[in-house]
């Protein structure tokens, strides 16, 4: 799977666990040296990062003699380097979203065409409810490739009587993923002659699916192991909640418009379901970053209705100097580029709030403060505040790295994080008034989203055991 959150070993798991450091080391050098020895001397180049790890994963699975390999496509499908398996047992396409547009195309139809590239002759494929046109594109791709394609029923259709199926992952979108996983699992188990898979349940065609171009797969009676598997599912960085005293962190690696919409629905429900503090003082903070060619303005606009008191922007670097953390280095992005993007996000957020105030007569007119760029005397401690005047009661702040951003948000109230440096590191009125509110609030709810790499860096700092 990709990307990893904290350590690169997460990408290659056996029986749910990342392979050990010793195994990773052994197979990495074996594959690296073999490729180095056999590469074409005239066009001497090694595979790029993702391609190398894909080759290594296949090698690990073969050497460790796994019974079943689940391979997640990197980007798209048709031209992805994972798409070299000629006859997989089964294929699945989850809910489509607009992402990686420079590679896959800028419409859902173009993206559906790329995703359908994993279909193989005679190999069954499943997908979940999709918009009409993209679903037609998937059907056309399946017909081209002589691949039987089916639509998954909803997870609720698998429920027996009034027994609701519990899912370890929160969010309605995860129930769609779970329905797909059940169909893929059953297909593999059937192929291997497993008994006791439960009877198929013929469903009455729902009005929603009538006239759809793809036939609906039947639901089936789930085994006890499947029910337990759904209930015990964990996947770090997806609708994950960490309660650290008065500070509750909500982590979700959403980075497309559809996934941010799902994230907002989950966060509002999860944060609102918490018991309200007796004195009512609750502060909501957004920690956001986005990478690649994503339309950050569109993503941020979807987050405005959550009514955050503060929006904090920072690059995905855990520290200003990342030399001691090879797993989270990205040599394609400089700190300067990343900070420029954060400043753009900060300006966008401020503008979105101003527009919202203009549209909503009940919102108080924000106080104005002079904004400026202020480095501080402390080495490596840098706080960037709006270069244009911005509202003081909903400030947007930029920090040069995750560690500083998290320390400011937590204000020494999260036992896993040190308190922020007090020696004039945050001289701006918005930062200092915010620090007081954060220190005194009975509850602080922090949503971290926009990038899986941002979520991974946050997890590394909030749960050091994950780096072991």
């Amino acid at each position: 799977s990709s990307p990893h959150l904290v350590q690169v070993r997460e990408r290659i798991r056996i029986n749910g666990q990342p392979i050990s450091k010793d195994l990773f080391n052994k197979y990495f050098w074996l594959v690296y040296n073999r490729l180095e020895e056999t590469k074409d001397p005239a066009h001497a180049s090694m595979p790029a990062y993702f391609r190398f790890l894909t080759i290594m994963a296949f090698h690990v699975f073969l050497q460790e003699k796994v019974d079943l390999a689940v391979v997640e496509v990197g980007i798209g499908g048709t031209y992805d380097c994972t798409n070299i398996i000629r006859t997989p047992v089964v294929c699945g396409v989850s809910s489509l979203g607009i992402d990686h547009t420079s590679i896959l195309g800028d419409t859902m139809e173009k993206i559906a065409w790329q995703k359908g590239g994993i279909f193989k002759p005679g190999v069954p494929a499943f997908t979940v409810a999709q918009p009409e046109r993209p679903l037609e594109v998937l059907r056309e791709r399946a017909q081209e490739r002589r691949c039987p394609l089916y639509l998954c029923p909803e997870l609720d259709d698998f429920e027996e009587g009034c027994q609701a199926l519990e899912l370890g992952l929160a969010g309605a979108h995860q129930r769609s993923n779970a329905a797909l996983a059940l169909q893929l699992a059953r297909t593999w188990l059937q192929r291997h002659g497993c008994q006791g898979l439960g009877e198929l349940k013929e469903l009455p065609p729902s009005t929603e699916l009538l006239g759809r171009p793809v036939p609906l797969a039947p639901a089936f009676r789930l085994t006890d192991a499947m029910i337990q598997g759904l209930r015990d599912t964990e996947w770090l960085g997806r609708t994950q909640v960490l309660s650290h005293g008065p500070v509750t962190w909500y982590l979700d690696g959403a980075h497309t418009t559809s996934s941010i919409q799902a994230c907002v629905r989950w966060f509002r429900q999860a944060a609102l379901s918490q018991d309200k503090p007796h004195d009512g003082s609750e502060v909501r903070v957004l920690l956001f970053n986005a990478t690649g060619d994503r339309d950050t303005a569109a993503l941020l606009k979807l987050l405005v209705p959550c009514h955050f008191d503060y929006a904090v922007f920072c690059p995905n670097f855990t520290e200003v100097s990342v030399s001691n953390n090879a797993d989270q280095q990205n040599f394609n992005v400089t700190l300067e580029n990343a900070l420029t993007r954060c400043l753009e996000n900060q300006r966008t957020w401020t503008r979105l709030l101003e527009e919202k105030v203009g549209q909503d007569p009940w919102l108080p007119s924000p106080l104005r403060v002079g904004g400026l760029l202020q480095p501080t005397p402390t080495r490596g401690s840098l706080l960037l505040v709006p270069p244009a005047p911005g509202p003081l009661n909903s400030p947007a702040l930029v920090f040069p790295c995750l560690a500083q951003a998290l320390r400011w948000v937590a204000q020494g109230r999260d036992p896993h994080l040190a308190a922020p440096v007090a020696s004039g590191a945050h001289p701006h009125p918005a930062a200092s008034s915010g620090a007081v509110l954060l220190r005194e609030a009975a509850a602080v709810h922090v949503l971290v989203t926009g990038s899986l790499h941002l979520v991974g860096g946050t997890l590394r700092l909030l749960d050091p055991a994950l780096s072991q």
Side-chain angles (χ1 to χ4, degrees):
S1 62
S2 65
H4 62 274
L5 292 174
V6 179
Q7 296 196 71
V8 68
R9 296 182 294 111
E10 297 165 31
R11 293 174 182 242
I12 305 172
R13 296 169 182 256
I14 296 179
N15 295 336
Q17 296 303 310
I19 61 171
S20 68
K21 288 182 179 178
D22 288 344
L23 270 189
F24 187 92
N25 191 38
K26 169 186 160 183
Y27 288 124
F28 177 92
W29 287 114
L30 197 153
V31 173
Y32 186 94
N33 291 333
R34 188 74 55 83
L35 290 171
E36 184 68 44
E37 289 158 13
T38 55
K39 69 185 180 187
D40 179 354
H43 306 93
S45 67
M46 292 287 276
Y49 185 81
F50 182 80
R51 292 185 178 198
F52 180 89
L53 289 171
T54 303
I55 296 165
M56 181 176 155
F58 285 133
H59 184 73
V60 169
F61 294 152
L62 288 166
Q63 294 301 307
E64 295 295 312
K65 299 180 171 53
V66 299
D67 304 296
L68 161 67
V70 180
V71 180
E72 184 201 27
V73 168
I75 292 176
T78 301
Y79 304 116
D80 194 79
C81 65
T82 57
N83 194 24
I84 59 166
I85 304 166
R86 291 187 188 131
T87 50
V89 171
V90 62
C91 295
V93 175
S94 59
S95 186
L96 297 169
I98 297 281
D99 199 13
H100 303 294
T101 51
S102 58
I103 300 168
L104 304 181
D106 54 3
T107 68
M108 293 275 271
E109 288 81 2
K110 289 175 184 173
I111 290 169
W113 188 91
Q114 295 280 1
K115 302 274 184 182
I118 66 169
F119 297 155
K120 302 288 183 289
V123 172
F126 294 89
T127 190
V128 296
Q130 310 279 10
E132 194 173 346
R133 273 297 300 139
L135 187 62
E136 282 176 13
V137 172
L138 287 176
R139 184 201 58 180
E140 288 160 11
R141 290 287 269 160
Q143 284 177 339
E144 272 172 34
R145 292 166 168 263
R146 304 187 310 285
C147 156
L149 175 66
Y150 302 94
L151 205 57
C152 294
E154 297 294 322
L155 192 60
D156 296 355
D157 293 326
F158 290 89
E159 290 174 352
E160 288 291 321
C162 50
Q163 183 192 358
L165 281 171
E166 281 181 64
L167 192 56
L169 297 172
H173 57 297
Q174 298 292 5
R175 293 184 74 79
S176 150
N177 289 334
L180 178 60
L182 286 172
Q183 296 287 357
L184 302 180
R186 187 178 200 278
T187 306
W188 189 83
L189 290 165
Q190 259 185 323
R191 171 73 70 89
H192 285 75
C194 294
Q195 302 300 311
L197 288 180
E199 308 154 22
L200 295 178
K201 293 158 55 175
E202 287 302 330
L203 293 174
S206 77
T207 48
E208 236 182 280
L209 296 167
L210 280 175
R212 282 290 174 99
V214 176
L216 185 65
F220 51 91
R221 187 165 288 115
L222 303 185
T223 64
D224 290 344
M226 287 174 172
I227 292 167
Q228 184 185 341
L230 292 173
R231 190 175 55 239
D232 296 346
T233 297
E234 288 181 354
W235 198 247
L236 296 181
R238 281 78 168 175
T239 60
Q240 182 180 2
V241 181
L242 294 175
S243 295
H244 290 184
V247 187
T248 307
W249 305 90
Y250 300 84
L251 311 176
D252 192 75
H255 51 270
T256 65
T257 51
S258 54
S259 59
I260 288 281
Q261 284 169 332
C263 170
V264 165
R265 284 194 296 272
W266 161 71
F267 172 71
R268 293 179 81 169
Q269 187 179 8
L272 289 173
S273 70
Q274 298 288 320
D275 290 335
K276 287 282 173 284
H278 296 304
D279 65 356
S281 65
E282 178 184 278
V283 178
R284 288 189 182 188
V285 181
L286 169 66
L287 177 57
F288 180 91
N289 191 39
T291 58
D293 54 6
R294 297 182 175 94
D295 180 354
T296 47
L299 303 184
L300 287 170
K301 189 171 186 177
L302 295 169
L303 290 157
V304 169
C306 291
H307 302 299
F308 292 104
D309 300 290
Y310 297 94
V312 174
F313 303 97
C314 71
N316 293 339
F317 306 122
T318 45
E319 305 281 353
V320 176
S321 165
V322 291
S323 55
N324 62 344
N325 180 23
D327 277 314
Q328 291 184 312
Q329 284 193 58
N330 181 347
F331 294 99
N332 299 318
V333 179
T334 65
L335 178 60
E336 189 180 0
N337 289 345
L339 279 173
T340 301
R341 182 145 190 181
C342 290
L343 284 165
E344 286 168 5
N345 291 339
Q346 180 193 51
R347 279 193 289 272
T348 301
W349 184 257
T350 306
R351 177 176 55 76
L352 287 166
L353 289 181
E354 286 172 350
E355 287 171 4
K356 186 170 173 57
V357 169
Q359 291 163 5
D360 191 341
W362 299 105
L363 283 174
S365 191
L367 297 166
R368 298 276 164 192
V369 295
L372 61 161
L373 191 69
Q374 290 197 5
T376 68
T378 318
R379 184 183 170 279
S381 196
L382 173 73
L383 172 73
L384 305 170
V385 294
L392 179 60
N393 62 348
S394 297
L397 306 172
V398 174
F399 291 87
C401 68
L402 255 168
Q404 288 187 33
L406 294 180
R407 283 185 201 124
W408 182 80
V409 171
Q411 288 297 319
R413 304 179 73 192
D414 184 325
H416 295 91
L417 295 167
V421 181
S423 58
H426 307 308
H428 192 272
S432 47
S433 66
V436 173
L437 285 175
L438 289 163
R439 277 197 297 271
E440 294 180 353
V444 180
H445 297 293
V446 192
L447 174 62
V448 184
T449 194
S451 161
L452 275 164
H453 301 288
L454 179 78
V455 166
T458 302
L459 271 173
R460 179 176 178 268
L461 293 166
L462 294 179
D463 188 353
L466 292 172
S467 301
Q468 302 309 311

